[in-house]
Amino acid sequence: MSPTLVLSLIAGYFVVLIIISILTSRKATSESFFIANRNAPWYMVAFAMIGTSLSGVTFISIPGMVASQSWSYMAVVLGYIVGYLVIGTVLMPLYYRLRLVSIYTYLEQRFGFWSYKTGALFFLISRAVGAAFRLFLVAGVLQLAVFDGLGVPFAVTVTISILLIYLYTFRGGLKTILWTDTFQTMAMLLCVGVSIYLMADELNLGFAGLVKTVKESTMSQIYFSDPKDDKFFWKQFASGAFITIVMTGLDQDMMQKNLSCRSLPDAQKNMFWFTLAIVVVNVFFLSLGVLLYQFAAAKGIQLPTNPATGKVIGDNVFPLLATNHFSLFAGIVFILGIIAVTYASADSALTALTTSFCVDMLDIQQYDEQRQKRLRHLTHFGFSIVLIIIILIFRAINDQSVITSVFKAAGYTYGPLLGLFSFGIFTRRGLHDRLVLPVCVAAPLLTWFINEHSETWWGYKFGFEILMLNGLITFLGLLAISRPRTAAELNPAG
């Protein structure tokens, strides 16, 4: 694929997004920016959330990891179902009852000022790091497909990518994103479906042959044998449930969309249909991964390997095959798919970061609408710069699959949120509020220390379940600084 063609696709794609932004951001206010005036149709929210939750990591890393991890990730996906059930029946009723704009306001009502600020701070760190990881992946693909050939540095690629997101989100916020993400989810689903069809056609497989090929492949194995293995089914299943609770239910980015629904029943319908869709979509991505390796083997294609280990670099498999060995049409489909799924996740993250910082740190609602608008724009631009910096740092130090990096980082940064919300919901005790931040900083450090030595001490290797350990340590730390609540504190809002 020529750089000119790819650049034309990117330019045309963003023209569509900017047109959508212009049409949907007219007379935008802070309420429409933050929660879309609480008037979004549930089915639109459910569909838009598919693209937001997946990201370019799913599009590239999940198909790429089947050679080394087989279908072990499917256990994580099945765990999602439990996590979404908890969100729909426990967390969403709480958020709607309190009519929250930022979900971390709950922590102030339940525990106090420092707990509230600590929760918001950990979200800002978690989402900024997670969004940067995801954007790092797509920027790397665009660098390989286009900008290396033009001699453009990676830093310029990253800057352009993020400023384009800023351009179509800074005015309308969530009201715009619900529309752009609906468009981008549609583009992503179309692209993955077409990719699977074209791969099956290249391998001369009908539908029955496709199902048989995936089912009988050694790469579709799920691991039940060794509990100490980080791919063990029940470890992955439990990790998936807790990852979902924290990265959706305790995450302002994902819950901001849910809070834009007209009522709690609408939001719960959204969550039910979204859950079914996300499981099916992940099955498609894992199946695509099997087909990619089957295609490479059938065509005798040498896949990229790590010189140090000799292992295939999974994150490079799909981009390499799509841009160098597929037909022109399939390559175009891939580029559009990776752009759609990545920016659907990234634009939402940038808006959520702006929302949380404005509401939780700046207390923006105390100001008049004109000043709120000015603060929103400055914050939105500031987080765009922050994402650029984090991506460049990550490029310098990353040495593993991006999806592993994302979830490993989430285990350390979302753990305190899991502990805080769990303590607030499942106990009736108060906290010595000023001690909450030290506990929430100490918990990830202790978790890291245990993770570094667990194999030596017990022969146990932590995987994504490091999140549960971190949440448990945080919970126990909070229990240690807890106190009985006073009569004044025991109210329905708590």
Side-chain angles (χ1 to χ4, degrees), residues 23-231:
L23 294 174
T24 58
S25 61
R26 293 173 180 171
K27 299 180 180 179
T29 63
S30 292
E31 187 178 20
S32 58
F33 187 98
F34 296 146
I35 52 175
N37 303 112
R38 296 191 192 272
N39 197 36
W42 69 264
Y43 45 85
M44 183 183 186
V45 176
F47 194 71
M49 281 178 61
I50 297 172
T52 303
S53 64
L54 293 177
S55 83
V57 173
T58 308
F59 203 82
I60 290 179
S61 281
I62 289 180
M65 70 193 295
V66 298
S68 60
Q69 302 289 316
S70 298
W71 271 37
S72 60
Y73 185 71
M74 193 62 205
V76 177
V77 175
L78 294 175
Y80 289 172
I81 298 173
V82 176
Y84 290 131
L85 179 65
V86 172
I87 293 168
T89 58
V90 177
L91 293 176
M92 285 169 55
L94 174 66
Y95 299 154
Y96 267 85
R97 175 164 56 86
L98 299 177
R99 292 189 62 80
L100 303 181
V101 173
S102 166
I103 63 174
Y104 308 110
T105 310
Y106 162 74
L107 296 174
E108 181 175 38
Q109 297 180 25
R110 179 65 174 83
F111 297 124
F113 175 86
W114 288 104
S115 300
Y116 170 38
K117 299 301 181 183
T118 298
L121 176 64
F122 271 90
F123 162 73
L124 291 170
I125 295 170
S126 301
R127 181 46 70 185
V129 171
F133 283 170
R134 290 164 170 84
L135 282 164
F136 164 80
L137 185 61
V138 74
V141 172
L142 295 177
Q143 188 72 23
L144 176 68
V146 184
F147 297 110
D148 275 341
L150 298 175
V152 177
F154 181 78
V156 176
T157 304
V158 169
T159 301
I160 292 172
S161 298
I162 293 179
L163 290 182
L164 285 170
I165 296 172
Y166 170 82
L167 188 62
Y168 73 84
T169 59
F170 80 98
R171 291 179 62 191
L174 186 61
K175 185 179 178 182
T176 293
I177 282 172
L178 287 173
W179 285 97
T180 56
D181 283 5
T182 295
F183 166 73
Q184 294 188 113
T185 299
M186 189 181 302
M188 181 274 294
L189 294 177
L190 180 64
C191 290
V192 72
V194 169
S195 296
I196 290 175
Y197 172 80
L198 293 175
M199 290 283 293
D201 186 60
E202 283 285 331
L203 295 172
N204 297 314
L205 298 173
F207 179 75
L210 170 63
V211 173
K212 183 179 179 182
T213 297
V214 172
K215 183 179 179 181
E216 295 181 353
S217 172
T218 57
M219 289 181 285
S220 60
Q221 179 182 1
I222 297 177
Y223 297 87
F224 287 93
S225 55
D226 185 4
K228 292 183 178 180
D229 192 331
D230 61 353
K231 299 188 293 293

Side-chain angles (χ1 to χ4, degrees), residues 316-456:
N316 291 349
V317 171
F318 196 7
L320 173 74
L321 294 179
T323 57
N324 292 279
H325 298 282
F326 288 0
S327 66
L328 178 61
F329 175 67
I332 291 173
V333 165
F334 168 78
I335 293 296
L336 290 176
I338 186 64
I339 293 170
V341 74
T342 299
Y343 287 110
S345 173
D347 58 16
S348 180
L350 183 57
T351 300
L353 288 166
T354 300
T355 299
S356 179
F357 192 83
C358 286
V359 174
D360 300 324
M361 299 301 181
L362 301 182
D363 194 15
I364 195 173
Q365 291 161 307
Q366 66 181 302
Y367 303 118
D368 61 69
E369 181 60 37
Q370 192 59 35
R371 188 172 183 187
Q372 287 188 37
K373 181 178 179 180
R374 186 165 60 252
L375 288 172
R376 285 202 325 263
H377 289 176
L378 287 172
T379 303
H380 210 58
F381 184 76
F383 273 110
S384 300
I385 301 302
V386 168
L387 291 178
I388 292 171
I389 294 170
I390 296 174
I391 290 170
L392 295 179
I393 293 172
F394 184 60
R395 178 176 171 84
I397 64 175
N398 182 63
D399 62 353
Q400 57 189 305
S401 171
V402 173
I403 194 165
T404 303
S405 300
V406 169
F407 286 129
K408 185 171 288 187
Y412 290 109
T413 58
Y414 278 98
L417 284 173
L418 177 61
L420 273 168
F421 275 86
S422 297
F423 196 87
I425 293 169
F426 297 115
T427 78
R428 294 180 60 81
R429 295 181 65 80
L431 293 173
H432 293 288
D433 191 42
R434 289 185 175 275
L435 298 178
V436 169
L437 179 59
V439 167
C440 289
V441 170
L445 294 175
L446 181 56
T447 302
W448 172 83
F449 181 78
I450 293 172
N451 184 48
E452 286 294 301
H453 296 89
S454 63
E455 285 192 86
T456 303

